[in-house]
Amino acid sequence: MTMHPPHILAPAPIERACRCAWDEASSATLDSAEQAAVAALSRWLDEPELPYAILHGPRPSRRSVVAAHLVRAQHEGTAYAAQLVPLGPDLRLERDLIALLVSRLLADYGGGPPRRLRAQIAEEHLRVGPTEGEPSLLLAITDVEEAEPLVSWPPLFSAVGPRVKVLATVEGDEAAARAWIPRLGFDPARTRIHRLPSRPWPAPGDPAALLAATGAVPARLLGLLSVAYGRLREDEITTALGAPIEGALAGIEPLVTAVDGTYALRWNAARREVEERLDRSARETSIRRLLSLAPDGYPCAYTRAHLEQATAPLQAFAALVTEEHLAHWIARPEGYLGFVADLERVRRRAVETLASGHEAAALAVRAALVEASLNWCARREDHDAPVGVEPMTRETPLADERQQAKALIALGAAVTAGPGRDEVLAWAADAARRIPEAEFRGDAFVALAEAIGDDRGHALAREALAAYRDAADPVLPQLLAVGVLPPDEGAAVAREVLARLRDGGGDPGDLDLFADRFPRAVAEVLWPDAEALPGPARARALAALAEVLGDPDRVRAAFAAVEQHADPYDPLAHRTLARLVTLLAVPEARRAAALAPPFGERAAELLEGLIPRLRALGDPAEDLLEALPDASRVRALARSLPFSTEPARLQARIDEALRRAEPLDRYGLLFDVGPWLGAAGESDTLLAWIAPLGDAHHLVALGFLALHDPAHAPELTRRALPLALRLGASEPDRLLALVPLARHLPPEGAAAALGLLLDALAGDYRHAALAGDGVSLDRLAPLIAAIAGDDGLAGAAREVVQVAAWFP
């Protein structure tokens, strides 16, 4: 899909609306009360401790006129760079406000998707404020009640810098003004509130009088303009009314403003006066006529706002996450900015209605993946950049079949066995077969075979072998497929690979890299071949196979080989010895302890594994414990808990050591001792050790302990959730840590977590959003399963396939 060059910086409709509002408000003559308000607000500008102000008054009061005159007064001086942000009948949506702020604040604009624009405005231009040498900043935002979505992101105006002032004008009394303070993110203690008195409508501009005297067609035009979220073109008005504009304007000209062939009501107050006089039928008729216009015109830009206003069912919003809707947006000046605004709101609405069924989860995933696809699509050299996105070199194909396969495998593996699971895994197999790199294609087939099992899994394992044999390194990767082949086939492949390595194709000791994937039957067949290997390779291979087999005689034989090659200067020798420490009998374990000291810093790691083994066999190993540094001793004692006949005495020793440590040191040790103390039900004891630390530390500790303390996991997860939701908006990885515990989350908490995580996913590039290192769809499978079950998982998988077809 070719994307047309953007209009810089604010799209033309936004600039037009702003210019019209500025001309109308700044040219008006002030009465005495309005002059007094400008003077009072000018004094507010000299009060550094009050960065916020709200100007309120009844409907006929001209609050926007006062704000415009305050801004104009600053233009005549040098103290403030003042900007008018006029929300009104033709500038009411969040995307409009963002575009307007971009054009006013980001003179050094370097590109970025809408979420980054919001962050840049909030962090750099409002929270930090102007740099030294620049004038202070005044933002005057008029008629905030007109901004349908303004309340969805109050942090934009919270914690503004010392040289930033924000004025908002609000219709209503002081109670209404104060109600807007938290919605805008203002600090109540640092907000000045000023009231404007009422004033009569300008003659002949009284909407009530004009409506009473007007004909049917002009009344219908006023109805259209009052419910419209943006300016209407002349051809749209003619179509909706079935009558020419000239006759429709008869008698109502004072209420209507015409700019560049577009029409809107002149004042916000007039718009609301007219709208409130419409009965339900007339209102619905006006909206229906607007939404039946050409889909690339008014309906493209404002359907979503009307659906939200009407509290439409979720299914109605699905039409906004389609190729057709994007195509309409890309042809408009607002382009990508408007489409992504629709995606964000649809996604969040779907998350809010997750309880209504699995369709909501699928739509939320679809909106997130489409946005992530657009983020990457904008980097392609063969595409122009949408609004707000710089074109960059395409480094990874958008097709990302490898990541599609990973995401589909994760989703399919989480589905209960049955036709639905089979369908998702069939989609994964199709994506795997399209992976161009042979080795990655083989990896995907192995993962699929592990998920599927049975004869179908064996067939996929053979496809993996065929792929690996086409890879640049065709030998070692074949061992990945051994565990998913029938045992006789797997053993034959492993013996063939080992022979090729032994005969000059590589290091046969590298068998140890894959042995943990071997079935016991394969390990048995390979044992004689491994015994015939030379030198350190023999030690590595036997240790790895002995770990699989667990047979005491094999462990003893493997250890004898390891003893012969325990070279502390060999970086692989430590790993080889560590494989066996938890399997050794007492004599061999003691000999292993004697081998440990030459390994230097890594010796303690060996002893930490040997001590629990010795204690399990009846040897208290006190001499080895005393030789360890404090932290290693605590870890060894904790790992010994499952084998101790006196766990309380052992735990007392751990407590004593930890009491002597600083809180941050205890926090580090918590992750070493947590698996064993957590399994013993001592999570609260561990948490008490780190009581002085902050919420971020407690959140991580709670999530970690919930994984190891099954008896208390539901309670620990519930305690972690509010911390994760509060911290996760800016650091979603903190929420991601709770996803494996999704089954313990309350429904509303799980939905809130999914919403934040999908927001993070949507902000990334698609290959990372599907199966990356951060927040990615493959990692969200347990959360989707907990919220929407098998149908939700299958629906999410279907969206992976459909969005990939949409953005190939």
Side-chain angles (χ1 to χ4, degrees):
M1 179 179 296
T2 300
M3 298 186 179
H4 301 290
H7 290 252
I8 305 297
L9 287 161
I14 306 301
E15 290 288 3
R16 181 178 57 209
C18 187
R19 184 179 74 249
C20 180
W22 171 258
D23 292 344
E24 186 79 34
S26 64
S27 62
T29 302
L30 300 180
D31 63 22
S32 58
E34 292 163 347
Q35 291 173 357
V38 172
L41 291 171
S42 297
R43 292 191 294 273
W44 159 70
L45 293 177
D46 295 327
E47 299 178 289
E49 71 280 5
L50 296 175
Y52 307 111
I54 290 184
L55 177 66
H56 72 94
R59 179 168 297 171
S61 63
R62 298 193 304 177
R63 301 170 303 278
S64 59
V65 169
V66 171
H69 277 261
L70 179 69
V71 168
R72 188 169 70 175
Q74 302 314 306
H75 289 173
E76 297 168 358
T78 59
Y80 276 90
Q83 303 288 353
L84 186 71
V85 183
L87 307 180
D90 49 357
L91 207 166
R92 300 171 63 190
L93 306 187
E94 177 181 341
R95 63 167 186 261
D96 304 333
L97 183 57
I98 287 294
L100 183 55
L101 289 173
V102 166
S103 68
R104 298 302 183 262
L105 297 178
L106 304 189
D108 55 346
Y109 175 52
R115 65 178 62 241
R116 293 185 187 170
L117 296 180
R118 283 200 297 269
Q120 190 175 358
I121 290 169
E123 295 295 331
E124 297 179 21
H125 295 270
L126 297 179
R127 190 160 299 177
V128 175
T131 59
E132 188 175 350
E134 294 181 333
S136 298
L137 173 65
L138 166 63
L139 278 182
I141 309 171
T142 63
D143 297 303
V144 295
E145 66 277 354
E146 286 288 317
E148 153 272 333
L150 185 60
V151 297
S152 68
W153 37 279
L156 186 67
F157 302 113
S158 63
V160 296
R163 295 173 55 219
V164 175
K165 294 277 190 174
V166 183
L167 165 68
T169 76
V170 175
E171 178 185 302
D173 57 15
E174 184 171 341
R178 292 192 179 280
W180 269 97
I181 290 176
R183 297 169 76 184
L184 291 166
F186 290 4
D187 180 349
R190 298 195 299 153
T191 301
R192 170 77 70 209
I193 296 180
H194 190 87
R195 180 182 179 278
L196 267 183
S198 181
R199 71 190 312 276
W201 287 100
D206 185 340
L210 290 173
L211 276 170
T214 192
V217 174
R220 289 206 304 272
L221 173 57
L222 288 176
L224 288 173
L225 296 178
S226 72
V227 300
Y229 277 93
R231 301 187 73 86
L232 295 176
R233 301 194 312 263
E234 182 175 338
D235 63 313
E236 291 178 320
I237 290 175
T238 300
T239 300
L241 289 179
I245 189 71
E246 291 79 7
L249 285 171
I252 62 171
E253 293 91 340
L255 293 183
V256 179
T257 175
V259 180
D260 300 340
T262 66
Y263 295 83
L265 288 170
R266 187 176 298 277
W267 308 293
N268 292 333
R271 187 197 67 76
R272 288 193 290 278
E273 285 282 334
V274 173
E275 185 180 28
E276 289 174 3
R277 283 169 170 75
L278 294 177
D279 62 35
R280 180 176 179 180
S281 175
R283 178 184 177 81
E284 290 178 352
T285 299
S286 294
I287 293 173
R288 188 163 56 251
R289 286 173 175 165
L290 290 175
L291 296 182
S292 65
L293 294 170
D296 59 347
Y298 181 91
C300 172
Y302 299 108
T303 291
R304 189 262 301 164
H306 284 292
L307 291 175
E308 288 185 343
Q309 187 182 52
T311 320
L314 184 64
Q315 293 85 343
F317 290 84
L320 305 179
V321 194
T322 61
E323 290 183 79
E324 182 182 16
H325 191 54
L326 173 59
H328 292 151
W329 264 119
I330 292 302
R332 294 176 60 87
E334 303 96 321
Y336 178 75
L337 192 65
F339 182 65
V340 170
D342 283 353
L343 290 179
E344 288 182 328
R345 294 293 286 247
V346 171
R347 183 173 68 252
R348 291 171 191 176
R349 188 173 188 86
V351 168
E352 291 169 1
T353 57
L354 282 172
S356 66
H358 61 87
E359 295 89 353
L363 182 57
V365 168
R366 180 177 180 82
L369 289 180
V370 168
E371 185 176 342
S373 299
L374 276 170
N375 293 341
W376 191 257
C377 192
R379 294 170 62 98
R380 295 175 60 171
E381 289 181 315
D382 57 340
H383 285 65
D384 293 319
V387 170
V389 179
E390 287 283 285
M392 299 178 70
T393 302
R394 178 180 176 185
E395 298 170 0
T396 302
L398 186 63
D400 51 35
E401 295 93 344
R402 183 185 177 196
Q403 287 78 17
Q404 289 173 41
K406 285 183 178 179
L408 290 168
I409 291 168
L411 293 167
V415 177
T416 305
R421 186 173 192 265
D422 293 343
E423 183 178 29
V424 175
L425 293 177
W427 294 334
D430 179 66
R433 292 186 179 101
R434 290 184 280 108
I435 297 173
E437 302 89 349
E439 186 170 342
F440 293 150
R441 189 164 64 251
D443 292 345
F445 284 134
V446 168
L448 262 172
E450 291 172 338
I452 291 176
D454 64 43
D455 291 341
R456 293 172 300 164
H458 295 158
L460 288 164
R462 296 181 187 107
E463 286 194 66
L465 273 180
Y468 287 138
R469 286 165 180 157
D470 289 337
D473 177 5
V475 182
L476 270 176
Q478 294 179 53
L479 293 175
L480 288 168
V482 166
V484 287
L485 286 165
D488 55 339
E489 288 184 54
V493 169
R495 293 195 69 196
E496 178 188 348
V497 169
L498 192 58
R500 292 183 64 180
L501 293 171
R502 183 192 60 216
D503 295 340
D507 182 352
D510 285 344
L511 179 77
D512 71 341
L513 300 172
F514 305 93
D516 60 348
R517 307 171 67 91
F518 295 169
R520 183 181 177 86
V522 171
E524 287 278 8
V525 170
L526 287 178
W527 184 268
D529 295 315
E531 282 191 309
L533 294 174
R538 176 173 180 269
R540 289 170 58 201
L542 288 177
L545 294 174
E547 189 179 22
V548 175
L549 295 169
D551 175 75
D553 291 337
R554 302 288 176 80
V555 172
R556 194 159 39 248
F559 180 69
V562 171
E563 272 187 303
Q564 294 176 13
H565 301 284
D567 180 358
Y569 299 103
D570 179 354
L572 301 177
H574 175 270
R575 184 182 72 195
T576 304
L577 181 56
R579 283 184 178 276
L580 297 176
V581 293
T582 60
L583 302 171
L584 298 172
V586 172
E588 288 79 18
R590 279 292 175 176
R591 279 156 45 200
L595 294 174
F599 285 94
E601 294 180 357
R602 293 178 296 178
E605 298 175 29
L606 292 170
L607 293 178
E608 288 172 24
L610 281 166
I611 289 168
R613 176 62 176 169
L614 285 166
R615 293 178 75 90
L617 297 172
D619 181 341
E622 290 294 340
D623 57 323
L624 301 181
L625 274 168
E626 291 305 316
L628 287 175
D630 288 346
S632 292
R633 187 181 307 120
V634 169
R635 285 192 288 267
L637 289 169
R639 293 175 67 176
S640 300
L641 276 172
F643 315 112
S644 176
T645 57
E646 298 178 285
R649 182 169 171 271
L650 212 58
Q651 189 170 327
R653 292 179 67 180
I654 296 171
D655 288 342
E656 181 183 359
L658 282 165
R659 274 195 298 271
R660 295 196 301 267
E662 293 296 322
L664 276 175
D665 295 329
R666 295 178 198 166
Y667 177 73
L669 286 168
L670 181 146
F671 300 97
D672 296 316
V673 304
W676 293 275
L677 287 178
E682 297 294 334
S683 291
D684 282 337
T685 301
L686 291 168
L687 292 168
W689 290 343
I690 62 167
L693 300 180
D695 286 349
H697 295 91
H698 280 267
L699 167 60
V700 176
L702 285 164
F704 178 78
L705 292 172
L707 294 172
H708 298 283
D709 186 350
H712 298 102
E715 175 199 348
L716 293 168
T717 305
R718 284 193 293 271
R719 288 164 63 183
L721 179 62
L723 298 177
L725 289 174
R726 180 163 57 80
L727 298 171
S730 56
E731 300 177 72
D733 281 355
R734 295 189 181 281
L735 264 174
L736 200 59
L738 295 185
V739 169
L741 302 159
R743 65 189 182 281
H744 301 309
L745 295 173
E748 65 279 4
L754 183 62
L756 285 173
L757 290 168
L758 286 178
D759 277 351
L761 183 154
D764 215 330
Y765 298 117
R766 190 177 74 187
H767 61 276
L770 286 167
D773 294 332
V775 178
S776 54
L777 188 59
D778 63 323
R779 300 177 72 178
L780 298 187
L783 185 55
I784 296 171
I787 292 172
D790 287 346
D791 288 338
L793 289 165
R798 188 172 293 106
E799 299 303 342
V800 172
V801 175
Q802 292 179 352
V803 173
W806 178 359
F807 293 94

